[in-house]
Amino acid sequence: MQDMLRRYGLGLTVTMCLLVAFWLIMLVIVPNITLLEQSFRPYLPVVDIGGPRDTYSFDNYLKVFDGNVDKSLFGISFSIPVHVYTFGLTILYSMLVTVICFAMAYPLAYFMAKIVNPRSLPTLILLLFIPLWVSEVLRAFAWWIILAFKGPLNALLLAVGVIEDPIRWTNLGYTGVVIGLIYTYVLFMLFPIYNAIQSLDTNQIEAAEDLGAPWWKIHWKIVLPHSKPGIASGSVMVFMLSAGSLLVPSILGSTTSQWFTQTIDQWFKDALDWNTASAYAFILLLLCTVFVSVAMWLFKVKLSDIAK
């Protein structure tokens, strides 16, 4: 705080603190407390709200275990609650999106930070930012057009002879959802990694090259460890945004691919049961937080690393 006062002065420091406090209280704390309180109350007609039937319980949370669906994996058949199954697939595909985003973003981030001509860098960053200026609806809809049965992707693949018949890409399980999420969130992985690699002293890379280290060893021993905070920050953002995404799965998902946020949305809008929807929203928030915490523990990344 003293550093902020010395750097920005009393007026600007107080203004910034008030804005941060407003953001935390009104946009994070109050809505979450309201949602939490509502998640323990039953869905009742308006005349019964506040009456003797309006009591607190865990019934809304236990609804996630209702309605089993039969599935098989590696030839083993089993029965699982449909919403648990949907949540598991949401986490699985969100992890896949995160890994693919990292695989795409890391080489580009290294290229931008250490190889590209500094004069060309602003143009490159501008080109990367342009998709972010377009509405997410338009981006998802653009991919819906590209992946359509008679879309440009099938036309291109047919023209070069890769496929013999057009493919319904959006009907291939979660293929369309994964592609759409990668395109939407890859920049959230790119820029944290770019910032981390940019702070790496190039002399360390040149010294390793002079000593005869192969390129993969330079990245494994020098670049990747240094860029760990950026990788952690990007991974958390991409994973949480993917798991909580609603628009892309709604547009690019097939009739058989249900995203967990769509289930929450259905409780809110179709069933008008905001209490159960609140419970489901908290289940998603808590389990995603636990999953990210376990991943950070496994990869030995601290919260302070993400904040860097």
Side-chain angles (χ1 to χ4, degrees), residues 207-220:
E209 290 174 342
D210 292 341
L211 291 172
W215 65 268
W216 64 266
K217 202 166 189 177
I218 293 172
H219 283 273
W220 185 252

Side-chain angles (χ1 to χ4, degrees), residues 77-103:
S77 299
F78 58 92
S79 184
I80 184 172
V82 62
H83 291 161
V84 174
Y85 178 70
T86 303
F87 179 80
L89 288 180
T90 301
I91 295 299
L92 179 66
Y93 284 106
S94 297
M95 288 171 58
L96 179 64
V97 169
T98 305
V99 171
I100 295 176
C101 282
F102 168 70

Side-chain angles (χ1 to χ4, degrees), residues 44 49 104 107 151 173-174 197 204 212 218 237 244 291 297:
L44 297 170
I49 295 177
M104 293 173 65
Y174 289 84
I197 295 178
Q204 293 185 44
I218 293 172
M237 280 197 290
F291 181 84
W297 176 72

Side-chain angles (χ1 to χ4, degrees), residues 5-31:
L5 287 171
R6 187 173 59 255
R7 183 177 298 182
Y8 302 112
L10 179 61
L12 190 56
T13 300
V14 170
T15 303
M16 286 191 293
C17 289
L18 288 175
L19 288 173
V20 172
F22 175 81
W23 180 76
L24 283 174
I25 294 172
M26 298 305 297
L27 301 181
V28 179
I29 296 175
V30 171

Side-chain angles (χ1 to χ4, degrees), residues 76 166 181 185 269 288 305:
I76 303 173
L181 289 176
Y185 298 129
K269 293 179 180 176
C288 282
D305 294 330

